[in-house]
Amino acid sequence: MELKPDDLRLAYRHMRMIRLFEEKLSDLVQAGKLGGFLHLYAGEEAVAVGVCSQLQETDVVTSTHRGHGHCIAKGVEVPGMMAELFGRATGTCKGKGGSMHIADMDKGMLGANGIVGAGIPLATGAALTAKLKRTGNVAVAFFGDGASNQGQFHESLNMAANWQLPVVYVVENNGFGEFTPTEFVVPVRDIAERARSYAMRSEIADGMDFFDVAEKASKAIAAARAGEGPTLLECKTYRFMGHFVGDPLPYRHKEEAEDWIQNRDPLQGFERTVAERGLLSAGELRVIDGDVERELAAAVAAAEEAPLPSIDELLTDVYVETA
Ligand SMILES: Cc1ncc(C[n+]2csc(CCOP(=O)(O)OP(=O)(O)O)c2C)c(N)n1
């Protein structure tokens, strides 16, 4: 895997944008400026960005209820995302998707999803399309540890292995499904073990380390593109915030959370690695921080000013249209 300085700058930009985007959303909800039910991705940035840094533009991803990070990592424009969250006509889905159903087909982002596990068969279908049409594209399904208990996870893995589809299943194992620790509901120690039932390759990555995720994703994506079938890639990670904005977090140990947040932060880890390897300077990273902050502030201001969708748009772009 080769990562040029520009690739690293883009990766850092995406990770910083995800972190600030999520912190901004949390503030906006708490200030009463933004409504809806939001699940934030802070802490898990290295997973989405590590994987997407290895994809081509025409590759596709499916996402979850915690989908903002996947969108940003796949190149969805932040002003459109912010407007979408504000329900504005200028949003990525013209204000009709919101946080849990945001999608951008032009960027290969096939959708966040309010149904746990539902992105997995969608990515499997996209991989089948790629294989039948010989496009050379790869599909990635992002989903949580909780989703790996869903029937559609098992059905999809079985089908993808049987048909050797070009798909990578990325489990974001953040240790919880809503308010329940993973070990209460998952009998295997590593979710990656589940691949064996389907004679599928698997890998475990440190989901807090961009470089480890990118390396392992790169191999899985290359194998998929070469016609060697699917991989289950488990990324061990942690969500820094609650399950949803407003979650009082009574179910998790403070010391455990503090340890991950203080010692395993993927942005700080990235900064340490690029400094140790002499790849990017701290000064370069601070310039990116400033750019991201300005871009985000502009996106919020534009979203607040943007018009709501007109009533004439009520039945357009929705699943059922009247004649
Ligand atoms: C089919 C279905 N069952 C239950 C829910 C309620 N629910 C929303 S998020 C969630 C937990 C999902 O956990 P996981 O897949 O590990 O993802 P995480 O939230 O940790 O990112 C549940 C049970 C749902 N949205 N859809």
Side-chain angles (χ1 to χ4, degrees), residues 39 44 65-66 114-116 143-147 150 172 174 176-178 239 243:
H39 306 85
E44 306 188 24
H65 53 286
R66 200 177 301 288
I115 308 297
V116 169
F143 52 95
D145 40 278
Q150 289 288 82
E172 304 178 313
N174 60 19
F176 293 92
E178 284 191 336
R239 62 168 151 76
H243 171 59

mmCIF file of all heavy atoms in Angstrom, residues 39 44 65-66 114-116 143-147 150 172 174 176-178 239 243, ligand 1:
data_model
loop_
_atom_site.group_PDB
_atom_site.id
_atom_site.type_symbol
_atom_site.label_atom_id
_atom_site.label_comp_id
_atom_site.label_asym_id
_atom_site.label_seq_id
_atom_site.Cartn_x
_atom_site.Cartn_y
_atom_site.Cartn_z
ATOM 1 N N HIS A 39 -26.936 9.919 15.664
ATOM 2 C CA HIS A 39 -25.933 8.980 16.193
ATOM 3 C C HIS A 39 -24.589 9.435 15.646
ATOM 4 O O HIS A 39 -24.419 9.507 14.427
ATOM 5 C CB HIS A 39 -26.215 7.565 15.705
ATOM 6 C CG HIS A 39 -27.605 7.095 15.995
ATOM 7 N ND1 HIS A 39 -28.675 7.364 15.157
ATOM 8 C CD2 HIS A 39 -28.096 6.385 17.031
ATOM 9 C CE1 HIS A 39 -29.762 6.823 15.667
ATOM 10 N NE2 HIS A 39 -29.447 6.225 16.801
ATOM 11 N N GLU A 44 -14.460 6.901 15.818
ATOM 12 C CA GLU A 44 -14.364 5.790 14.861
ATOM 13 C C GLU A 44 -13.797 6.248 13.508
ATOM 14 O O GLU A 44 -13.862 5.520 12.514
ATOM 15 C CB GLU A 44 -15.745 5.140 14.692
ATOM 16 C CG GLU A 44 -16.348 4.721 16.030
ATOM 17 C CD GLU A 44 -17.638 3.903 15.915
ATOM 18 O OE1 GLU A 44 -17.862 3.267 14.877
ATOM 19 O OE2 GLU A 44 -18.421 3.928 16.878
ATOM 20 N N HIS A 65 -27.017 3.750 10.731
ATOM 21 C CA HIS A 65 -27.618 4.895 11.424
ATOM 22 C C HIS A 65 -26.535 5.872 11.883
ATOM 23 O O HIS A 65 -26.840 6.989 12.237
ATOM 24 C CB HIS A 65 -28.423 4.395 12.633
ATOM 25 C CG HIS A 65 -27.592 3.505 13.527
ATOM 26 N ND1 HIS A 65 -27.249 2.214 13.179
ATOM 27 C CD2 HIS A 65 -26.988 3.749 14.723
ATOM 28 C CE1 HIS A 65 -26.488 1.684 14.127
ATOM 29 N NE2 HIS A 65 -26.310 2.597 15.073
ATOM 30 N N ARG A 66 -25.257 5.417 11.917
ATOM 31 C CA ARG A 66 -24.141 6.255 12.384
ATOM 32 C C ARG A 66 -23.307 6.617 11.153
ATOM 33 O O ARG A 66 -22.141 6.275 11.046
ATOM 34 C CB ARG A 66 -23.318 5.421 13.399
ATOM 35 C CG ARG A 66 -22.442 6.239 14.323
ATOM 36 C CD ARG A 66 -21.733 5.320 15.352
ATOM 37 N NE ARG A 66 -22.644 4.564 16.180
ATOM 38 C CZ ARG A 66 -23.398 5.082 17.154
ATOM 39 N NH1 ARG A 66 -23.320 6.370 17.430
ATOM 40 N NH2 ARG A 66 -24.229 4.329 17.846
ATOM 41 N N GLY A 114 -31.610 3.390 8.717
ATOM 42 C CA GLY A 114 -32.164 3.323 10.074
ATOM 43 C C GLY A 114 -32.410 1.900 10.532
ATOM 44 O O GLY A 114 -32.673 1.653 11.710
ATOM 45 N N ILE A 115 -32.328 0.941 9.607
ATOM 46 C CA ILE A 115 -32.576 -0.463 9.963
ATOM 47 C C ILE A 115 -31.218 -1.129 10.169
ATOM 48 O O ILE A 115 -30.424 -1.223 9.234
ATOM 49 C CB ILE A 115 -33.337 -1.204 8.828
ATOM 50 C CG1 ILE A 115 -34.602 -0.438 8.414
ATOM 51 C CG2 ILE A 115 -33.654 -2.630 9.234
ATOM 52 C CD1 ILE A 115 -35.644 -0.294 9.475
ATOM 53 N N VAL A 116 -30.989 -1.592 11.382
ATOM 54 C CA VAL A 116 -29.677 -2.172 11.694
ATOM 55 C C VAL A 116 -29.404 -3.402 10.809
ATOM 56 O O VAL A 116 -30.218 -4.325 10.770
ATOM 57 C CB VAL A 116 -29.601 -2.548 13.194
ATOM 58 C CG1 VAL A 116 -28.377 -3.397 13.490
ATOM 59 C CG2 VAL A 116 -29.576 -1.278 14.036
ATOM 60 N N PHE A 143 -20.877 -1.656 9.036
ATOM 61 C CA PHE A 143 -21.944 -1.967 10.000
ATOM 62 C C PHE A 143 -21.333 -2.261 11.358
ATOM 63 O O PHE A 143 -20.123 -2.463 11.478
ATOM 64 C CB PHE A 143 -22.798 -3.162 9.520
ATOM 65 C CG PHE A 143 -21.988 -4.368 9.161
ATOM 66 C CD1 PHE A 143 -21.782 -5.386 10.089
ATOM 67 C CD2 PHE A 143 -21.403 -4.486 7.919
ATOM 68 C CE1 PHE A 143 -21.014 -6.499 9.770
ATOM 69 C CE2 PHE A 143 -20.622 -5.594 7.586
ATOM 70 C CZ PHE A 143 -20.433 -6.593 8.515
ATOM 71 N N GLY A 144 -22.183 -2.307 12.364
ATOM 72 C CA GLY A 144 -21.701 -2.478 13.729
ATOM 73 C C GLY A 144 -21.667 -3.929 14.177
ATOM 74 O O GLY A 144 -22.159 -4.828 13.489
ATOM 75 N N ASP A 145 -21.097 -4.126 15.360
ATOM 76 C CA ASP A 145 -21.057 -5.461 15.955
ATOM 77 C C ASP A 145 -22.468 -5.998 16.179
ATOM 78 O O ASP A 145 -22.743 -7.174 15.962
ATOM 79 C CB ASP A 145 -20.297 -5.429 17.297
ATOM 80 C CG ASP A 145 -20.620 -4.186 18.113
ATOM 81 O OD1 ASP A 145 -20.026 -3.130 17.843
ATOM 82 O OD2 ASP A 145 -21.508 -4.271 18.991
ATOM 83 N N GLY A 146 -23.376 -5.104 16.579
ATOM 84 C CA GLY A 146 -24.771 -5.523 16.801
ATOM 85 C C GLY A 146 -25.381 -6.061 15.513
ATOM 86 O O GLY A 146 -26.078 -7.080 15.517
ATOM 87 N N ALA A 147 -25.072 -5.412 14.397
ATOM 88 C CA ALA A 147 -25.635 -5.829 13.106
ATOM 89 C C ALA A 147 -25.157 -7.217 12.700
ATOM 90 O O ALA A 147 -25.828 -7.904 11.926
ATOM 91 C CB ALA A 147 -25.263 -4.809 12.030
ATOM 92 N N GLN A 150 -27.631 -9.992 13.000
ATOM 93 C CA GLN A 150 -28.842 -9.973 12.178
ATOM 94 C C GLN A 150 -28.783 -11.076 11.117
ATOM 95 O O GLN A 150 -27.712 -11.376 10.582
ATOM 96 C CB GLN A 150 -28.968 -8.619 11.459
ATOM 97 C CG GLN A 150 -29.306 -7.462 12.376
ATOM 98 C CD GLN A 150 -30.752 -7.535 12.853
ATOM 99 O OE1 GLN A 150 -31.065 -8.253 13.788
ATOM 100 N NE2 GLN A 150 -31.628 -6.811 12.226
ATOM 101 N N GLU A 172 -17.593 -2.521 12.405
ATOM 102 C CA GLU A 172 -17.061 -1.508 13.328
ATOM 103 C C GLU A 172 -17.423 -1.978 14.726
ATOM 104 O O GLU A 172 -18.520 -1.705 15.217
ATOM 105 C CB GLU A 172 -17.715 -0.161 13.008
ATOM 106 C CG GLU A 172 -17.501 0.229 11.551
ATOM 107 C CD GLU A 172 -18.173 1.523 11.161
ATOM 108 O OE1 GLU A 172 -19.368 1.734 11.491
ATOM 109 O OE2 GLU A 172 -17.509 2.335 10.501
ATOM 110 N N ASN A 174 -17.455 -1.443 18.123
ATOM 111 C CA ASN A 174 -17.187 -0.383 19.106
ATOM 112 C C ASN A 174 -17.563 -0.818 20.529
ATOM 113 O O ASN A 174 -17.648 0.009 21.427
ATOM 114 C CB ASN A 174 -17.899 0.920 18.707
ATOM 115 C CG ASN A 174 -19.412 0.754 18.626
ATOM 116 O OD1 ASN A 174 -19.968 -0.194 19.185
ATOM 117 N ND2 ASN A 174 -20.085 1.666 17.949
ATOM 118 N N PHE A 176 -20.315 -1.879 21.861
ATOM 119 C CA PHE A 176 -21.699 -1.727 22.338
ATOM 120 C C PHE A 176 -22.685 -1.801 21.181
ATOM 121 O O PHE A 176 -22.383 -1.363 20.072
ATOM 122 C CB PHE A 176 -21.909 -0.362 23.019
ATOM 123 C CG PHE A 176 -21.147 -0.201 24.297
ATOM 124 C CD1 PHE A 176 -19.884 0.365 24.287
ATOM 125 C CD2 PHE A 176 -21.669 -0.635 25.508
ATOM 126 C CE1 PHE A 176 -19.149 0.512 25.454
ATOM 127 C CE2 PHE A 176 -20.950 -0.499 26.690
ATOM 128 C CZ PHE A 176 -19.687 0.076 26.671
ATOM 129 N N GLY A 177 -23.874 -2.332 21.463
ATOM 130 C CA GLY A 177 -25.030 -2.192 20.584
ATOM 131 C C GLY A 177 -26.033 -1.435 21.437
ATOM 132 O O GLY A 177 -26.488 -1.964 22.458
ATOM 133 N N GLU A 178 -26.350 -0.215 21.048
ATOM 134 C CA GLU A 178 -27.116 0.695 21.908
ATOM 135 C C GLU A 178 -26.463 0.754 23.293
ATOM 136 O O GLU A 178 -25.366 1.272 23.436
ATOM 137 C CB GLU A 178 -28.596 0.278 21.994
ATOM 138 C CG GLU A 178 -29.367 0.653 20.742
ATOM 139 C CD GLU A 178 -30.866 0.503 20.878
ATOM 140 O OE1 GLU A 178 -31.335 -0.278 21.726
ATOM 141 O OE2 GLU A 178 -31.579 1.182 20.105
ATOM 142 N N ARG A 239 -16.824 4.209 20.369
ATOM 143 C CA ARG A 239 -17.489 5.492 20.084
ATOM 144 C C ARG A 239 -17.266 6.405 21.276
ATOM 145 O O ARG A 239 -17.526 6.023 22.417
ATOM 146 C CB ARG A 239 -18.956 5.325 19.694
ATOM 147 C CG ARG A 239 -19.861 4.716 20.731
ATOM 148 C CD ARG A 239 -21.323 4.880 20.322
ATOM 149 N NE ARG A 239 -22.173 3.833 20.822
ATOM 150 C CZ ARG A 239 -22.598 3.715 22.070
ATOM 151 N NH1 ARG A 239 -22.225 4.588 22.981
ATOM 152 N NH2 ARG A 239 -23.389 2.723 22.423
ATOM 153 N N HIS A 243 -24.690 6.582 22.469
ATOM 154 C CA HIS A 243 -25.329 5.921 21.323
ATOM 155 C C HIS A 243 -26.030 6.955 20.446
ATOM 156 O O HIS A 243 -25.984 6.886 19.229
ATOM 157 C CB HIS A 243 -26.315 4.863 21.829
ATOM 158 C CG HIS A 243 -27.165 4.301 20.732
ATOM 159 N ND1 HIS A 243 -26.621 3.673 19.637
ATOM 160 C CD2 HIS A 243 -28.521 4.334 20.533
ATOM 161 C CE1 HIS A 243 -27.608 3.314 18.809
ATOM 162 N NE2 HIS A 243 -28.753 3.704 19.329
HETATM 163 C C1 LIG B 1 -33.625 -4.025 12.751
HETATM 164 C C2 LIG B 1 -33.399 -3.057 13.879
HETATM 165 N N1 LIG B 1 -33.417 -3.486 15.145
HETATM 166 C C3 LIG B 1 -33.208 -2.624 16.173
HETATM 167 C C4 LIG B 1 -32.986 -1.293 15.922
HETATM 168 C C5 LIG B 1 -32.732 -0.317 17.076
HETATM 169 N N2 LIG B 1 -31.297 0.000 17.106
HETATM 170 C C6 LIG B 1 -30.821 1.136 16.567
HETATM 171 S S1 LIG B 1 -29.152 1.240 16.674
HETATM 172 C C7 LIG B 1 -29.044 -0.226 17.456
HETATM 173 C C8 LIG B 1 -27.704 -0.772 17.891
HETATM 174 C C9 LIG B 1 -26.836 -1.140 16.738
HETATM 175 O O1 LIG B 1 -25.590 -1.564 17.225
HETATM 176 P P1 LIG B 1 -24.396 -1.778 16.251
HETATM 177 O O2 LIG B 1 -24.848 -2.493 15.028
HETATM 178 O O3 LIG B 1 -23.296 -2.392 17.021
HETATM 179 O O4 LIG B 1 -24.006 -0.304 15.784
HETATM 180 P P2 LIG B 1 -23.495 0.940 16.653
HETATM 181 O O5 LIG B 1 -24.693 1.693 17.115
HETATM 182 O O6 LIG B 1 -22.674 0.405 17.766
HETATM 183 O O7 LIG B 1 -22.675 1.748 15.688
HETATM 184 C C10 LIG B 1 -30.304 -0.807 17.623
HETATM 185 C C11 LIG B 1 -30.535 -2.107 18.271
HETATM 186 C C12 LIG B 1 -33.018 -0.859 14.579
HETATM 187 N N3 LIG B 1 -32.831 0.414 14.259
HETATM 188 N N4 LIG B 1 -33.191 -1.754 13.578
#
